[in-house]
Amino acid sequence: MQNTATPTHCPYCALQCGMNLTPTPDGTVEVSERADFPVNRGALCGKGRTAPAVLARNVRLTSPLVRDEGGALVPASWDEALDRIAGELRRTREAHGPDAVGVFGGGGLTNEKAYTLGKFARVVLGTSQIDYNGRFCMSSAAAAGIKAFGLDRGLPFPLEDIPKSGCVILVGSNLAETMPPSLRFFTELKENGGTLIVIDPRRTRTAEQADLHLAPRPGTDLALALGLLHLVIAEGRVDEEYVGERTSGWEDARAAAMAHWPEYVERITGVSVPELRETVRLFCEPESAMVLTARGPEQQSKGTDTVGAWINLCLATGRAGRPLSGYGCLTGQGNGQGGREHGQKADQLPGYRKLDDPAARAHVAEVWGVGPDSLPGPGRSAYELLDALGTDIRSLLLMASNPVVSAPRAAHIEERIRSLDFLAVCDVVLSETAALADVVLPVTQWAEETGTTTNLEGRVLLRRRAISPPDGVRSDLEVLHELAARLGVEKGFPTDPEEVFEELRRASAGGPADYSGITYRRLAEENGVFWPCPAVEEAVEQAVEEGEDALLDAPLPDDPARETPAARTPGAHPGTPRLFLDRFATPDGRARFVPVSHRAIAEEPDDEYPVLLTTGRVVAQYQSGAQTRRVAELNAAAPGPFVEIHPRLAARLGASEGDPVAVVSRRGRAVAPARITTAIRPDTVFMPFHWPGEGRANTLTNPALDPTSRMPEFKACAVRLETVGRERAG
Ligand code: SF4
């Protein structure tokens, strides 16, 4: 392996920061600045900087493990482990039918792996029971985006547009901790005279940067957005011309908003009427403005309606599909965007096609060389799939996910996993879920393999291999190839990522997330390509059909994303950094208002459980912590869980800083030290969700599902507090 630096991307969050990797004598890599990638311009957070620590042999798996008759996981050969998995999956299928085999993926898988996993489930196993942990991440925003715009792409514009906008409302995002290098865009926004408004029940590090911070009660973001829209209407700030020309459904949405008087909204949210008026003024006065949501409004049992209400606010004020304006979702996981486009979601086929669309089935089946009728239909969503383990679903193949820590109502899900007939896990470390498996397969990591990811902007990126994996480790693609062969499918599961990508290009061609014009060569030459990017034949055909320019929306003059070698190649589609500038992706080209109304969270506080719990992340840990909890520097910065409590609530409880506090919900009990701060509302406590065991926040969370997105309500449930050793209502 070469000793020069390899330009690539971070293994963690959806920002997908650029970094250079140089091999070190101990077999890992050294991270250095890669200033040419425009998203982070060389900056990295502590997670990205320390990511090589997980490459070390002493923290990772380097041999397959098989559970022996005594119940212990013991090292085994690859053949033994693969034979065991194939045998158990075959046995389950023969005894109980194909849908008794489940597959669970992850938002950290590359596009090639997500694509191959979905194909493996449908073609080899014939099961409909596949979903992934990205369902817990951004599915409500995706559902709302599709309803309103006809298309879901996290951000419809590059991050570089943010500093040039007039105002940004950040709803339920603590990006100063979740993706710190992105804070630069918001600092530059303020330096340029723009306004940053942050909506969060906590005064987070992000909220501290805001010109205006609103701290609504958890689970009331929907009412807040409706109250703002009410004021927009009442104050005559609706962009009537835009609404008339570019939208449909305004009258019903308008009527719904008019039922949400500011004083009523103040009672629901705790945000005062003057604060609501100031927000409307700051949002409406500049020429351009944006709303960006994250997990706060999305992880609710009404998340789709909540995001829909924020989109309605954008549409009524003409802030969507115009330069420097729009609605966007800040996707969380490293490949949360690409992972939801290429077929590991329960209802989806590659290219963001729908599994219940006959034309989509026919197209993908032809690429896969199977009959359309052989493809199963849509399956269960992530929580519903996990909840069915041990009953309808008897065996599970799981990749890159740790639901024992990250699923809602986690003690119940852990019990369901334990009740399986058979569990196989592919992971880089022995996560809490892998520790329950019958077979664990050690797989390669980001620095040891090549593949593509799609960041939160819809920018497809090439992650390059910088070093060889240690002996004993294989890639997920090799695992799926070997399992397919053992289950009787000898062809169609290549192990070379570029070969997989070439097939993915064909499978996605003509779909909403069209990657057919993207190649590894282009990705190597350019700093990513934004989808949709049809191959040139499709681009010309589309232009002829639509009677418009083949390159869809025109770039802004200073758009660096267009200034690339391939973009200047005659005939090559340059990709689409900005969506919707001319038309939305609906049949009539108009964005759709969706009328929504406030409703309560699934579990309001009562006498027995009088306090609200909300959950989230801290800067030094990532998701379930399976990787970052193995990094000494990160553990020193964030060693364990805590319960953030307002001083007034702590005084009522009789708890002091650092005292162990039990947080009890209808689903279980978690114990963690108190962290007393005025940064949280007095009626709410906060817990980060990165840890297993006694302090596992997801023991408490409510799996109530959004009816459209099937997103669980991680962000709000009713709890009571007890000092440990004495039982006392909080
Ligand atoms: Fe990695 Fe995200 Fe940190 Fe960037 S912000 S270094 S992508 S974890």
Side-chain angles (χ1 to χ4, degrees), residues 10-17 19 43-45 47-49 178-181:
C10 176
Y12 294 121
C13 85
L15 210 53
Q16 285 296 282
C17 291
M19 56 170 59
L44 297 169
C45 78
K47 298 183 288 281
R49 205 168 25 76
T178 55
M179 41 182 73

Side-chain angles (χ1 to χ4, degrees), residues 411-425:
H412 169 73
I413 293 305
E414 182 176 340
E415 184 264 323
R416 297 318 314 149
I417 290 171
R418 288 179 186 276
S419 72
L420 279 164
D421 295 347
F422 179 76
L423 172 65
V425 172

Side-chain angles (χ1 to χ4, degrees), residues 300-631:
Q300 298 184 22
S301 60
K302 53 179 183 293
T304 304
D305 283 1
T306 302
V307 174
W310 288 102
I311 292 174
N312 286 351
L313 180 70
C314 290
L315 294 177
T317 52
R319 269 81 160 86
R322 279 179 165 169
L324 310 179
S325 286
Y327 161 77
C329 154
L330 296 162
T331 298
Q333 292 196 77
N335 196 29
Q337 180 68 51
R340 71 194 195 240
E341 296 164 5
H342 297 299
Q344 63 175 329
K345 223 172 155 191
D347 55 352
Q348 219 170 66
L349 288 170
Y352 226 140
R353 289 183 156 92
K354 297 293 286 179
L355 192 47
D356 57 6
D357 172 359
R361 292 171 68 88
H363 172 82
V364 174
E366 190 182 346
V367 174
W368 288 352
V370 299
D373 293 343
S374 72
L375 299 177
R380 292 178 173 88
S381 73
Y383 179 79
E384 292 163 297
L385 189 158
L386 295 171
D387 193 33
L389 300 181
T391 53
D392 294 354
I393 299 173
R394 312 299 293 260
S395 290
L396 183 71
L397 173 65
L398 182 142
M399 279 186 169
S401 189
N402 189 14
V404 165
V405 178
S406 61
R409 197 186 174 197
H412 169 73
I413 293 305
E414 182 176 340
E415 184 264 323
R416 297 318 314 149
I417 290 171
R418 288 179 186 276
S419 72
L420 279 164
D421 295 347
F422 179 76
L423 172 65
V425 172
C426 301
D427 210 329
V428 299
V429 294
L430 193 67
S431 71
E432 288 70 22
T433 306
L436 302 180
D438 299 287
V439 179
V440 184
L441 299 179
V443 290
T444 47
Q445 301 188 44
W446 101 112
E448 301 159 348
E449 58 188 15
T450 293
T452 62
T453 60
T454 306
N455 82 346
L456 77 175
E457 305 167 288
R459 192 193 300 247
V460 185
L461 303 164
L462 186 63
R463 271 205 208 142
R464 296 172 174 89
R465 171 173 157 138
I467 52 170
S468 301
D471 289 344
V473 170
R474 296 188 186 178
S475 76
D476 292 299
L477 294 179
E478 288 173 302
V479 167
L480 294 171
H481 171 87
E482 292 289 338
L483 290 177
R486 282 166 168 77
L487 291 166
V489 182
E490 300 281 347
K491 289 188 178 159
F493 289 86
T495 58
D496 173 23
E498 186 167 4
E499 202 178 324
V500 176
F501 191 79
E502 287 300 307
E503 185 180 305
L504 181 157
R505 290 177 60 201
R506 284 188 284 122
S508 75
D514 190 334
Y515 282 37
S516 60
I518 305 174
T519 62
Y520 270 32
R521 184 189 64 77
R522 281 191 67 177
L523 294 176
E525 288 174 357
E526 305 172 28
N527 265 329
V529 178
F530 292 80
W531 70 258
C533 181
V536 67
E537 295 83 3
E538 282 83 359
V540 172
E541 276 170 25
Q542 185 179 342
V544 170
E545 264 174 35
E546 295 179 359
E548 58 189 46
D549 188 276
L551 303 186
L552 305 178
D553 59 14
L556 295 184
D558 60 347
D559 179 4
R562 298 297 183 119
E563 298 303 319
T564 57
R568 290 193 292 271
T569 304
H573 192 289
T576 315
R578 295 177 181 82
L579 296 168
F580 312 140
L581 292 180
D582 299 321
R583 67 193 309 276
F584 294 95
T586 53
D588 62 3
R590 290 168 174 258
R592 294 178 287 230
F593 281 97
V594 178
V596 293
S597 294
H598 165 70
R599 59 182 188 274
I601 57 174
E603 190 181 66
E604 284 284 5
D606 57 17
D607 289 346
E608 201 179 349
Y609 299 96
V611 176
L612 282 165
L613 167 72
T614 192
T615 61
R617 290 164 52 186
V618 298
V619 66
Q621 300 287 353
Y622 180 69
Q623 307 295 31
S624 81
Q627 291 141 290
T628 51
R629 282 188 277 110
R630 287 170 166 82
V631 180

